Amino acid sequence: MPRFSIVVPSHGVAGRLSQALDSVLAQSFGDFELIPVCDAPDAPAADVVTGYAERDSRVTPVHSPPSDGLAGARNTGLRAAVGGHVLFLDGDDVLVPGALAALDARLDGTGDVDVLYFEHERTPWWEGEPANPAAPLLARTPDGAFTPDRAPRLTGVTLPAWSAVYRRAFLTEQNIAFPGNHFTDVGFGGLVALRAERVAALRTVVVRHLLRRQGNLLGLPGEHHAELLDQTELVLTRAAEQDLSADRLKPLFEQLFAAVLKTAAHPRRLTSGRRTFFRRASALYRRHRPDGYRAPGGSLGVQHRLLASGSYAAFRSLRAANRTVSRAAALLPRPRGLRTRLRYAAALRLPLDRNLVVYCAYWGRGYACNPAAIHAKARELAPHLRAVFLVEPDAVGSVPPGVEHAVIGSRKYWQVLARATYLVNNANFADAVVKRPGSVHLQTQHGTPLKTMGADQATYPVVAAATGSFARLLARVDRWDYNLTSNRHSTEMWERAFPSAHETLEYGYPRNDVYCTASAEDVARVRKELGVPDGKKALLYAPTHRDYATGFETGLDLAEFCEAIGDDYVVLLRAHYFYDQGASRGGGRIIDVTGHRSSEDVCLAADGLITDYSSIMFDYANLDRPIVVYADDWDVYRETRGVYFDLMELPPGRVARTPGELAAVFRDGSWADGTATSLRAAFRERFCQFDDGRAAERVVRRVLLGEPPESVPPVIPLAERVPAPAATLVRS
């Protein structure tokens, strides 16, 4: 039997789960079992956990459906536990180094206590000093093991479940489990404190808790706050049945109603049913108030007395008087120009147009990428919707005939942004755009992240300086309702990079649908449009942007490269869109396709891809054609920009570090040999999970038509997809 069973629920924290698991497996004390609780075998966290279970026999995952909530996940883990003591760790928290050794040593010193409370550190997600809220409470406890009546204020209801380790036999014998769904720590902590006979404290930080930027459900508005009263009633009823002493009942009562009053007085938590909540809380207060209880002083004491008397009108007036933050400033639109601001503000007072969809791609660079693919599918499946594409003045020519558009900054631009119910973008709308109640913002992204993104860029000075204000970036992220991903890796990384309360849609990238639907005739047409000679193998060279460079430099002499690989090849040069200035860089066997509006067309035309660290490799892999990575400055790029995984360890094909090596893989044919094919297959398995040709349909049905998740088409397995054929390569 292991010394510790460590239960780790993982719902909604797949992006940081590996840090939690690593912190446990790196402990110097190794006598434990680690029980990650995943939603289902195919859930995002399950992908993370599977690798750990294969590498370490101490990892034994179990499953609990999301509908069972945090309480259900912890109870499932508790039922699976076989260790002597149980510790609950949230999936985005970590154990500090030496934590388990400290717990083991303390338990050796105290003997088998029912509960060992310990300190924890609350770490702000971005900046600020960590806090240790349990330290003052534990500082006043006796040094050794003690009975609960010697520390009456140590009730457990103010401490999270992961701030203690529990003797498993005690929980089993007392039939203690996590009650309800929301505020389950209140009920569990109270029941544990009531039933424990022998406890102890460890005045050392064991868990480091990351305060999530988006907070947790307990701080968000909704009807679930009524469950706080359920947990309060449960604990106080059990205390009455147990005939708890007055010395212990008074602090328990006070701590429970401190939380109740905080919710009742909060201006945003209870969006409806405030009077009902207050009246029920008042009845509980009067029923369970200890004999001789004296309310605290100050404003809190006034709230106690109003709750005891059931004076909701007076309580509401007090709550209104105590508000110090005005909502008006946060809602004030600030586009440039007084006239524009006034017009936009006026349009915001008009009702939303339920049939209006606004699209934008690459900050208005044209009709492109995922927004364009969604728009095209919406014209087919939802023709009743009016669509307006937002473009810069010099990109108006990219808009196909029959597609309505608005020039960014124009009067029409602000009008449609104010009235649209649906807003679709692969980047972000302007800071001045207001997220109206009832509107739906879909972030489609425009690539799979190899390089660090969003908040993860903060520790890389060169990138952070170019990014600008992270506060403004995250304010834009807060407008998202949905975020689209094309693979599980993206799901996890976007969660880290863009912390917010949006919902992730694992539907694939609509722009990549064409890689499964295009025909040989489509490929031939595109090659002809681009000027690819018949019979020639076309190699797409698509390098990415360098944050430490001042302009576009390929790092490769393409003329010399073409000379070295022979006459069978032509090169399609596609520079990063940052450097699309309309000037041709080609000539001879080099065809500059940087300005071509569709990267998807360019990929269809290419028989192979040469890239460095561009996200185009993830999209191109859907075609199952050869990819060569030219990584002449990988070490510099990795240190300067930061990456989410080592591309040299998980490449999509052959890797070349010098121009000579790159030319050699084409001269000897190894760019498309069996080894390259095997590397590409593993890469596709990981990064082409959801791009099956039906992503746009899934998005339109779920987001624009409002169909339930279960009605959208399921993802076609990778082995059953048939990619568009290449012009000169024969696929086995």
Side-chain angles (χ1 to χ4, degrees):
M1 179 176 68
R3 177 68 147 165
F4 299 106
S5 294
I6 304 169
V7 177
V8 186
S10 62
H11 178 70
V13 293
R16 298 191 180 275
L17 179 60
S18 60
Q19 297 176 8
L21 302 183
D22 287 341
S23 75
V24 176
L25 296 174
Q27 293 289 312
S28 58
F29 183 90
D31 186 16
F32 63 82
E33 62 171 350
L34 177 56
I35 308 175
V37 187
C38 305
D39 294 344
D42 59 348
D47 282 356
V48 178
V49 168
T50 298
Y52 284 90
E54 292 172 350
R55 295 190 298 270
D56 196 314
S57 60
R58 295 174 296 179
V59 181
T60 55
V62 295
H63 301 108
S64 177
S67 57
D68 287 351
L70 176 62
R74 286 175 173 170
N75 288 333
T76 298
L78 179 58
R79 288 192 294 270
V82 296
H85 292 80
V86 182
L87 188 151
F88 300 96
L89 184 70
D90 281 358
D92 51 359
D93 296 343
V94 297
L95 289 182
V96 302
L100 294 184
L103 290 173
D104 176 67
R106 183 61 172 154
L107 288 171
D108 282 344
T110 62
D112 271 342
V113 292
D114 295 328
V115 188
L116 174 61
Y117 295 101
F118 50 72
E119 295 178 8
H120 63 272
E121 188 177 84
R122 291 180 179 268
T123 305
W125 83 275
W126 187 249
E127 61 182 15
E129 292 298 320
N132 186 343
L137 182 61
L138 299 185
R140 296 193 292 268
T141 59
D143 290 335
F146 55 90
T147 56
D149 58 350
R150 294 183 60 195
R153 297 202 63 81
L154 188 61
T155 65
V157 297
T158 62
L159 297 173
W162 39 260
S163 64
V165 62
Y166 311 89
R167 187 167 60 88
R168 186 172 63 86
F170 158 70
L171 296 178
T172 303
E173 292 163 1
Q174 296 295 330
N175 196 29
I176 297 176
F178 287 88
N181 191 357
H182 303 107
F183 300 94
T184 186
D185 281 17
V186 173
F188 180 81
L191 295 177
V192 165
L194 290 174
R195 297 295 178 84
E197 297 180 354
R198 196 165 181 267
V199 300
L202 172 62
R203 301 185 189 99
T204 300
V205 172
V206 171
V207 171
R208 184 168 292 119
H209 172 65
L210 176 68
L211 294 171
R212 304 183 72 187
R213 175 177 178 268
Q214 59 269 41
N216 57 49
L217 184 62
L218 305 187
L220 297 177
E223 297 178 356
H224 60 279
H225 287 282
E227 292 191 40
L228 174 59
L229 300 181
D230 295 340
Q231 302 288 0
T232 299
E233 183 172 17
L234 170 66
V235 173
L236 290 176
T237 299
R238 295 288 178 84
E241 293 171 352
Q242 190 173 316
D243 195 20
L244 194 67
S245 68
D247 287 344
R248 293 183 63 193
L249 180 59
K250 288 179 181 179
L252 176 63
F253 176 87
E254 190 167 272
Q255 291 172 17
L256 285 168
F257 276 97
V260 170
L261 284 168
K262 184 177 180 180
T263 296
H266 200 286
R268 291 182 297 275
R269 289 186 183 177
L270 294 169
T271 55
S272 62
R274 291 174 182 159
R275 185 185 298 272
T276 301
F277 182 94
F278 184 88
R279 286 178 173 173
R280 184 183 169 197
S282 178
L284 283 174
Y285 189 98
R286 292 192 297 271
R287 185 185 315 145
H288 293 285
R289 179 173 49 189
D291 293 338
Y293 176 74
R294 295 181 62 183
S299 176
L300 180 59
V302 175
Q303 293 181 49
H304 270 261
R305 287 188 285 275
L306 292 176
L307 187 64
S309 64
S311 304
Y312 177 70
F315 184 85
R316 183 178 58 186
S317 299
L318 176 66
R319 181 183 62 201
N322 287 337
R323 291 181 188 172
T324 59
V325 180
S326 172
R327 300 176 185 176
L331 295 176
L332 182 64
R334 297 186 181 276
R336 292 181 180 179
L338 177 59
R339 182 178 298 178
T340 302
R341 283 202 299 269
L342 293 175
R343 286 174 176 167
Y344 184 48
L348 287 171
R349 290 195 291 269
L350 299 174
L352 289 172
D353 184 338
R354 295 298 174 185
N355 291 322
L356 177 58
V357 190
V358 169
Y359 298 89
C360 190
Y362 298 117
W363 304 275
R365 288 184 61 249
Y367 185 85
C369 195
N370 291 317
I374 295 170
H375 170 267
K377 182 58 68 172
R379 296 179 81 177
E380 173 190 334
L381 299 179
H384 64 285
L385 296 177
R386 175 194 173 198
V388 180
F389 227 93
L390 308 181
V391 292
E392 290 287 356
D394 59 356
V396 171
S398 74
V399 181
V403 175
E404 185 178 356
H405 70 275
V407 174
I408 291 177
S410 67
R411 183 174 182 176
K412 179 179 179 181
Y413 166 83
W414 288 109
Q415 286 178 335
V416 296
L417 282 174
R419 300 290 308 281
T421 294
Y422 306 99
L423 297 95
V424 181
N425 206 324
N426 74 348
N428 264 309
F429 291 99
D431 291 346
V433 173
V434 172
K435 173 68 165 72
R436 296 187 63 178
S439 66
V440 177
H441 286 236
L442 169 64
Q443 168 59 247
T444 72
Q445 303 294 347
H446 53 270
T448 290
L450 166 61
K451 59 191 176 187
T452 55
M453 301 292 290
D456 288 339
Q457 298 172 347
T459 55
Y460 296 90
V462 173
V463 187
T467 301
S469 169
F470 284 96
R472 291 172 63 184
L473 167 66
L474 294 171
R476 295 190 290 269
V477 172
D478 283 341
R479 295 187 301 220
W480 302 355
D481 293 289
Y482 298 106
N483 184 37
L484 199 58
T485 73
S486 59
N487 48 63
R488 192 57 53 76
H489 164 79
S490 295
T491 299
E492 298 169 15
M493 296 309 105
W494 294 145
E495 179 186 312
R496 289 175 43 182
F498 302 118
S500 190
H502 54 261
E503 179 182 348
T504 296
L505 300 179
E506 292 183 322
Y507 286 175
Y509 282 162
R511 71 180 185 186
N512 291 343
D513 285 353
V514 68
Y515 298 141
C516 292
T517 61
S519 65
E521 290 74 19
D522 295 322
V523 173
R525 173 185 51 79
V526 174
R527 286 169 67 92
K528 184 175 181 180
E529 290 176 0
L530 297 178
V532 178
D534 291 340
K536 297 292 186 180
K537 294 184 178 68
L539 303 177
L540 173 59
Y541 178 49
T544 193
H545 166 65
R546 300 295 195 278
D547 296 278
Y548 50 86
T550 57
F552 174 68
E553 298 178 5
T554 66
L556 178 68
D557 189 318
L558 291 178
E560 289 186 3
F561 172 69
C562 288
E563 186 68 24
I565 63 176
D567 294 336
D568 291 339
Y569 300 93
V570 296
V571 173
L572 305 176
L573 169 62
R574 189 168 181 84
H576 191 277
Y577 57 80
F578 283 1
Y579 309 113
D580 177 13
Q581 299 176 355
S584 174
R585 306 176 184 85
R589 291 164 56 196
I590 304 169
I591 304 172
D592 190 344
V593 296
T594 302
H596 190 78
R597 69 173 184 84
S598 170
S599 63
E600 294 77 52
D601 280 359
V602 173
C603 288
L604 285 174
D607 300 291
L609 170 67
I610 304 170
T611 189
D612 41 25
Y613 327 118
S614 170
S615 66
I616 198 172
M617 73 178 80
F618 302 99
D619 304 314
Y620 191 82
N622 284 287
L623 289 167
D624 198 14
R625 302 178 191 174
I627 303 173
V628 177
V629 175
Y630 178 53
D632 60 330
D633 62 346
W634 169 249
D635 295 331
V636 175
Y637 185 86
R638 180 176 55 185
E639 292 299 320
T640 306
R641 177 62 200 240
V643 294
Y644 287 122
F645 68 92
D646 190 343
L647 183 63
M648 302 301 102
E649 295 294 327
L650 298 166
R654 294 288 186 176
V655 176
R657 294 282 194 144
T658 66
E661 291 179 2
L662 182 62
V665 300
F666 288 96
R667 285 198 304 268
D668 64 19
S670 58
W671 69 294
D673 65 4
T675 299
T677 301
S678 297
L679 290 170
R680 186 170 72 252
F683 191 84
R684 281 167 48 80
E685 190 72 28
R686 182 177 182 185
F687 295 112
C688 298
Q689 289 171 290
F690 311 133
D691 289 337
D692 64 347
R694 302 192 69 179
E697 180 182 353
R698 283 189 282 270
V699 171
V700 171
R701 292 191 181 282
R702 175 70 190 285
V703 179
L704 301 185
L705 294 177
E707 296 182 6
E710 57 272 14
S711 71
V712 303
V715 175
I716 299 171
L718 185 63
E720 298 177 15
R721 302 174 205 166
V722 181
T728 65
L729 299 176
V730 177
R731 184 179 294 109
S732 61

